[in-house]
Amino acid sequence: MNRQLPLRQRLRKAAIILMFLTFPITMNFFSPYVIIDGAMNGIVNGSLVMFTLMFVASLFLGRAWCGWVCPAAGMQEIVEPINNKPVNGRRIDWIKWLIWIPWISLIVFLAVQAGGYKTIDLLYHTQSGISVAGSPDRPILFAYIIYYFVIALFAGLAILVGRRAGCHTICWMAPFMMIGRWIRNRFGWASLRLVADAAACADCMKCTKNCPMSLDVNA
């Protein structure tokens, strides 16, 4: 007989799935393309602001974004019952850096080429603030193609490879939190973090078995 998840985990899952359901509205704020387009034209857009906020938040909240707010994580947790196989993150985590480093380098290069950021348009490439509604220079069909491509990419990896495989392999958002957490750990300032009570551990391994990121929590 399956037991109900603890209240905190139920609230977390509800929040992260709700974020996925709002993804048609918010997609451009997490878009790796929109930030490139903005850099090329010297425009500070919602995507640039969002990635900056992710990094700043990670300095004090660690990877809370990944567990509570990320829409890509929400779509993967929805399909988790199809393939609940743990993923060996140590073997595949390098892939995201192979994507992230050239991407960030391209953004910096294009921003410099454009002479820096000159204007601010937080709703860049959206119509009335809704990402899938398109914009005057981007038809709605193109926006929906991108929307379903992202869903197929993250959900497909989770279905084929295992639990949150997209987070381990292709996520261009995760490195912002990882760098922020690394900086926080080096300076040791007060921040949100989980603390283990070794005296209360029964070595049942349930924490490791149920971790959505396939981490060895018991260790």
Side-chain angles (χ1 to χ4, degrees):
M1 178 176 169
N2 292 328
R3 297 182 61 185
Q4 181 118 279
L5 288 172
L7 177 61
R8 187 174 71 87
Q9 284 299 320
R10 281 182 281 152
L11 291 174
R12 186 195 67 78
K13 280 187 175 289
I16 206 168
I17 290 173
L18 179 62
M19 287 302 298
F20 166 62
L21 295 177
T22 62
F23 191 52
I25 299 173
T26 62
M27 177 178 69
N28 283 351
F29 294 97
F30 311 119
S31 170
Y33 167 76
V34 170
I35 192 173
I36 289 175
D37 193 286
M40 189 164 48
N41 293 286
I43 300 173
V44 173
N45 51 59
S47 184
L48 175 61
V49 172
M50 181 60 71
F51 291 131
T52 302
L53 289 175
M54 285 181 193
F55 171 72
V56 173
S58 70
L59 296 173
F60 306 97
L61 301 176
R63 297 289 292 273
W65 164 270
C66 303
W68 287 81
V69 190
C70 180
M75 71 177 80
Q76 290 178 93
E77 293 206 13
I78 288 174
V79 302
E80 188 176 291
I82 301 174
N83 185 358
N84 196 29
K85 177 184 176 182
V87 172
N88 188 338
R90 291 184 179 181
R91 294 181 59 184
I92 58 178
D93 277 352
W94 60 270
I95 298 174
K96 67 167 69 75
W97 294 100
L98 197 63
I99 296 170
W100 189 82
I101 293 173
W103 173 61
I104 285 293
S105 301
L106 178 61
I107 292 169
V108 173
F109 172 77
L110 292 174
V112 172
Q113 286 289 101
Y117 290 100
K118 306 177 186 69
T119 59
I120 299 175
D121 183 359
L122 299 183
L123 301 181
Y124 191 55
H125 282 323
T126 67
Q127 189 76 25
S128 302
I130 300 176
S131 298
V132 295
S135 62
D137 55 336
R138 291 179 72 195
I140 189 171
L141 178 60
F142 178 78
Y144 270 100
I145 290 174
I146 296 299
Y147 171 73
Y148 283 111
F149 174 76
V150 173
I151 290 179
L153 200 57
F154 278 92
L157 280 168
I159 291 171
L160 295 174
V161 180
R163 200 183 302 167
R164 288 242 200 159
C167 299
H168 288 286
T169 56
I170 62 169
C171 183
W172 55 89
M173 296 175 275
F176 289 102
M177 274 72 70
M178 296 174 73
I179 293 172
R181 186 182 62 180
W182 183 86
I183 294 173
R184 177 204 67 184
N185 290 343
R186 292 302 176 277
F187 285 91
W189 57 64
S191 62
L192 179 68
R193 65 180 68 204
L194 295 176
V195 178
D197 183 359
C201 180
D203 280 324
C204 65
M205 304 295 291
K206 286 183 180 179
C207 53
T208 295
K209 181 180 178 181
N210 294 321
C211 177
M213 281 298 292
S214 304
L215 301 178
D216 189 354
V217 183
N218 183 262

